[in-house]
């Protein structure tokens, strides 16, 4: 990353003013709505990449890979093969057992695939209904936005109890503490500051930068 004409390893090593110039934003007014829309279009939403949603056919085929289902299919095929080569091969009724097993297996797989697809759709709808929001400053005004629409360069306003929506470099901080248990395993909240604090000789390196939250 290049800030102010100099290469830096992390935003933690740059001053907020330099980062503001790098992202073309104002520390008091944030990004403009046009800049945020362009960044969202360019970089995509602020969320983990989701695997492609399986089709109904894929779900159906996945149901057939279960151990018990494969045993039933093998038994049905074996039954049909035995009857097709036995003395009663010309009797249609001799094939009823194998055909019945296959029909039951396919009906079971179809119902299971349809149920899983509906459950997935319901879970996705519920996720959208409970989507997290955060306050950012755009065009000089504090506005509430969905977390996936937060973009690089956004000026994020964090309050008590807020979930950090992305990796953030602090520009201002007043008695800020965050929980990093999920990231580092530390049980206690970690104090943060907006300043760059050079590491003293012999001082152990901290697990995360003091001026960044995650």
């Amino acid at each position: 990353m290049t800030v102010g004409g100099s290469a830096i390893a992390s935003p933690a090593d740059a001053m907020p003013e330099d980062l503001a110039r790098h992202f073309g934003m104002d520390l008091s007014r944030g990004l403009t709505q046009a800049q945020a829309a362009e960044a969202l279009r360019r970089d995509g939403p602020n969320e983990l990449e989701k695997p492609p949603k399986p089709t109904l056919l894929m779900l159906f085929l996945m149901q057939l890979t279960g151990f018990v289902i494969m045993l039933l299919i093998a038994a049905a095929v074996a039954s049909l093969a035995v009857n097709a080569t036995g003395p009663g091969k010309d009797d249609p009724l001799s094939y009823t057992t194998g055909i019945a097993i296959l029909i039951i297996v396919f009906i079971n797989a179809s119902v299971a695939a349809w149920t899983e697809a509906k459950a997935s759709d319901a879970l996705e709808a519920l996720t959208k209904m409970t989507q997290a929001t955060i306050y950012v400053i755009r065009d000089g005004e504090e506005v509430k936005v969905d977390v996936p629409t937060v973009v690089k360069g956004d000026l994020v306003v964090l309050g008590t109890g807020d979930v950090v929506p992305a990796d953030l470099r602090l520009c201002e901080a007043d008695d800020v503490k965050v929980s990093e248990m999920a990231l580092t395993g530390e049980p206690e909240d970690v104090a943060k500051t907006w300043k760059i604090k050079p590491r003293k000789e012999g001082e152990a390196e901290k697990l995360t930068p003091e001026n960044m939250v995650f």
Side-chain angles (χ1 to χ4, degrees):
M1 181 178 182
T2 302
V3 175
S6 303
I8 60 171
S10 166
D13 300 325
M15 291 298 293
E17 294 80 6
D18 295 328
L19 291 172
R21 284 193 294 271
H22 176 77
F23 289 110
M25 51 85 73
D26 186 281
L27 282 177
S28 60
R29 295 184 57 82
L31 294 173
T32 64
Q33 291 291 357
Q35 286 176 310
E38 171 60 23
L40 184 61
R41 184 199 63 78
R42 182 184 65 243
D43 301 327
N46 173 43
E47 59 186 6
L48 296 176
E49 186 176 352
K50 298 178 182 178
K53 187 177 179 180
T55 63
L56 193 59
L57 177 60
M58 290 177 61
L59 291 174
F60 173 78
L61 294 176
M62 289 168 59
Q63 302 301 323
L64 300 179
T65 60
F67 180 70
V68 174
I69 297 297
M70 293 180 69
L71 283 179
L72 289 173
I73 293 174
V77 171
S79 175
L80 293 173
V82 168
N83 288 312
T85 57
K89 62 181 180 180
D90 295 327
D91 182 8
L93 294 178
S94 63
Y95 301 99
T96 54
T97 300
I99 293 174
I101 293 175
L102 290 176
I103 290 175
I104 293 172
V105 166
F106 289 143
I107 290 176
N108 176 76
S110 299
V111 172
W114 183 82
T115 303
E116 187 171 341
K118 288 298 181 182
S120 177
D121 292 341
L123 182 60
E124 186 175 349
L126 182 61
T127 301
K128 289 181 179 179
M129 289 175 58
T130 58
Q131 195 170 65
T133 58
I134 196 73
Y135 283 98
V136 299
I137 296 177
R138 292 180 182 170
D139 288 321
E141 297 183 358
E142 190 172 308
V143 294
K144 181 187 286 189
V145 299
D146 293 332
V147 166
T149 64
V150 174
V151 299
K152 294 179 182 178
D154 254 331
L155 199 58
V156 179
V157 181
L158 293 177
T160 303
D162 283 343
V163 176
V164 179
D167 297 350
L168 303 178
R169 165 65 163 91
L170 295 175
C171 299
E172 294 181 7
D174 182 17
D175 193 25
V176 173
K177 290 185 178 182
V178 297
S179 172
E180 295 186 343
M181 182 180 294
L183 185 64
T184 65
E186 293 185 74
E188 301 293 333
D189 290 347
V190 181
K192 296 291 181 176
T193 178
W194 68 270
K195 301 176 182 178
I196 298 176
K197 289 187 176 180
R199 185 156 58 96
K200 298 178 182 178
E201 186 177 352
E203 183 182 8
E205 184 175 0
K206 294 184 179 296
L207 295 175
T208 59
E210 286 186 297
N211 55 13
M212 292 191 68
V213 291
F214 305 90

